[in-house]
Amino acid sequence: MKVLIIGSGGREHAVADAFGRAAETRQIYVSPGNAGIAQEYACVQLKGHQEIRDFCQKEEIDLVFIGPEQPICEGLSDYLRKQGIWVFAPSQKAARLESSKAFAKYIMSKYDVPTARYSLVKSLAEAEIKIQEYGLPVVLKADGLAAGKGVIIAENYEAAHQAAAELFATNAGATGILVEEYLKGWEVSLFAITDGNDYVTTLFAQDHKQLYDGDKGPNTGGMGAFAPVKSAEEYRMAIERDILKPVLKAMREEDCPYTGILYMGLMITESGAKVIEFNCRLGDPETQALLPLLKTDITEICKRVRDHKVAGMKLKWEAAVCVAVVLAAEGYPGQYLKGIELSNLQAKSQLFYAGVTSKNGKLESSGGRVLSLVAKGENISEARQKVYADLEKLAEPRLIYRKDIGLRENIL
Ligand code: AMP
Ligand code: GLY
């Protein structure tokens, strides 16, 4: 099988690695990929839908796996499918569960899925009323795709007012903003693989979104993750019954059946699991901790989805714990340093590259999140020991990382 993976981050590197382990895979391409991924897999620079289609036809690509949300929300999966190309990703219409928070909330309220109370407001005056109604802290969100930057948790009314005004002033707030009840609890991610009717869920994974240890500092794209999350297991049945099943049913009834991966970002609260967000793809960096444990052939998963045969599928996982620690460039998530040389990096851990480029044949950083180091162990402490043994040897102060990935206690 010839596979084309769309995307350029650590998640796509981990996806390529999973295809690399699959029996049937003959050739893996990644577009655009990055210089780190290119050390192992062929990276091609395809721009726009047509170039991707032409490449698929010329190279006789069997399967296109789309990593990030952006191309899905721009309609790449629909476009390729119309050309008869096999794509693993939901349709643009189904991906509204991620691209429009208002749509996701509409589905959830109509089908009684547990989530934070919310109001979609169209003006600052309306926002003020709802902010008062929900009380503090209050959550404000842009409706459209905001690459993780569209959420503000305001601790006082002044901050809430300012955030609402700023959201209305940007594109992301053009179709309105959401004022939302603050949910107290701990967060966990769960992925469903679905053909629209039936589903199978993965191990739970936990992202660490803040920059500093102890969940302090600004929000980032994710500073590390681990899987599985044992403390979440007791919620699995209720999540499938009360969240996943009704949402898949809703999507069928709304005439946009959901196929591919559905990412459930959940808050475990005193009254059970509630949805924070849906994404139409795998998580980054959760995937870097999850896929190394997957023993089921990933091409088999894609085929089952294509053929509507997810019913009865069981996923096999290694009985281990996997930890992924992200190395970010100093300054991230603000203005960050670029050009940090990486060729001296000595690590026993597996490396999944994100923001890297090649200069004079040497690998250097070009993005905020540069790469992740990934290791498996019999338990969390063994996995952590392996990763952190590598990181302690790293004599590069311009690369920053959290020292507490996998240590969260998850108590209510
Ligand atoms: P989102 O982009 O919706 O995933 O939000 C980003 C982050 O903001 C989440 O991962 C949570 O940590 C936090 N967040 C979003 N909505 C809420 C909420 N209603 N209550 C508490 N925290 C939230
Ligand atoms: N890890 C958060 C995300 O992928 O959206």
Side-chain angles (χ1 to χ4, degrees), residues 28-42:
I28 297 166
Y29 295 99
V30 188
S31 172
N34 62 51
I37 298 178
Q39 293 177 338
E40 290 173 82
Y41 304 101

Side-chain angles (χ1 to χ4, degrees), residues 11 69 98 189 191 207 209 220-222 263 277 279 281-286 369:
R11 168 184 48 210
E69 66 278 11
E98 172 164 5
S189 312
F191 307 96
D207 187 4
K209 285 198 167 114
T220 71
Y263 169 133
E277 62 165 344
N279 291 318
R281 49 163 177 84
L282 284 165
D284 189 338
E286 291 97 320
R369 287 192 298 170

Side-chain angles (χ1 to χ4, degrees), residues 101 105 116-117 139 141 148-153 180-184 187 209-210 219 265 267 275-277 279:
K101 289 191 191 288
K105 286 293 194 185
R117 286 188 301 137
V139 182
K141 296 184 181 183
K149 296 183 191 83
V151 177
I152 299 105
I153 298 172
E180 204 173 281
E181 168 199 14
Y182 175 78
L183 295 177
K184 196 166 167 303
E187 281 184 74
K209 285 198 167 114
Q210 272 105 351
N219 247 321
M267 186 73 86
V275 175
I276 295 195
E277 62 165 344
N279 291 318

